Amino acid sequence: MTDQTPPLDEMHYGQLAQDALRGVIRSALERAAEPTGIPGAHHFYITFKTRAPGVSVPPDILAKYPDEMTIVLQHQYWDLSVEADRFSVMLKFGGMPKVLAAPYTAVTRFYDPSVQFMLQFDEPEIVEAEVAPLTPAAREPSKTPQPASEDEGPKVVSLDQFRKK
């Protein structure tokens, strides 16, 4: 046997592929941000690391989900803002509107159960950093959310049931 070292990937193709696939998330969210909203039966489960650099979540949500959380974008979400490298959205937690923001690099899973489409990413490196505070403008909704019962609010769910075994 010969000891051959594998060739060095100086192009970093794995990272290039992950970056390109994060573009799929951005494109899907851009469609969801249109006035007509998410088309058809599509809806998104987006899992992200709550302590990844650039993530901004209210302190009470961070206390409840100190490592990772999944949000659902389906019927009730407001002020979805999609930028080149991050997104933000207002969701209700316990009937109270809260703004969450995350860079695409913090996303570990994107799943659309209506068509069984899932992207899974390497977990981002978490460095000890302060949680970005919400600006006063981010705390104030530009639209008044419609009242909803607690049963209609967004739910955080585990995607374990959808994983292939």
Side-chain angles (χ1 to χ4, degrees):
M1 274 194 206
T2 61
D3 287 329
Q4 291 185 335
T5 57
L8 181 61
D9 178 12
E10 295 181 76
M11 291 297 293
H12 306 283
Y13 284 114
Q15 185 61 49
L16 290 172
Q18 291 217 3
D19 291 344
L21 288 172
R22 283 189 169 95
V24 171
I25 297 171
R26 185 181 62 248
S27 294
L29 291 176
E30 285 171 346
R31 291 200 57 193
E34 292 175 359
T36 55
I38 301 173
H42 292 280
H43 55 288
F44 312 137
Y45 289 65
I46 304 170
T47 303
F48 62 94
K49 290 296 198 178
T50 55
R51 294 196 184 270
V55 172
S56 177
V57 296
D60 59 323
I61 302 297
L62 185 61
K64 194 170 182 178
Y65 304 99
D67 178 51
E68 184 176 77
M69 74 180 296
T70 299
I71 60 172
V72 179
L73 300 186
Q74 188 171 13
H75 300 298
Q76 294 191 357
Y77 62 91
W78 300 269
D79 300 335
L80 177 60
S81 173
V82 182
E83 298 175 29
D85 62 343
R86 63 188 294 107
F87 70 95
S88 66
V89 65
M90 180 191 301
L91 299 170
K92 282 190 176 182
F93 293 85
M96 298 297 298
K98 309 273 182 168
V99 176
L100 311 171
Y104 301 113
T105 55
V107 174
T108 57
R109 269 178 256 125
F110 176 87
Y111 180 59
D112 182 343
S114 70
V115 291
Q116 300 294 304
F117 178 78
M118 184 167 80
L119 296 172
Q120 190 151 348
F121 300 95
D122 294 338
E123 292 193 11
E125 288 186 30
I126 307 297
V127 292
E128 286 299 318
E130 292 182 27
V131 176
L134 292 175
T135 63
R139 288 188 206 120
E140 296 297 321
S142 63
K143 299 180 219 168
T144 304
Q146 303 201 1
S149 71
E150 291 204 13
D151 292 344
E152 295 177 309
K155 306 280 188 260
V156 178
V157 297
S158 170
L159 293 180
D160 290 341
Q161 63 187 350
F162 302 109
R163 289 191 182 149
K164 294 181 182 175
K165 302 200 182 213

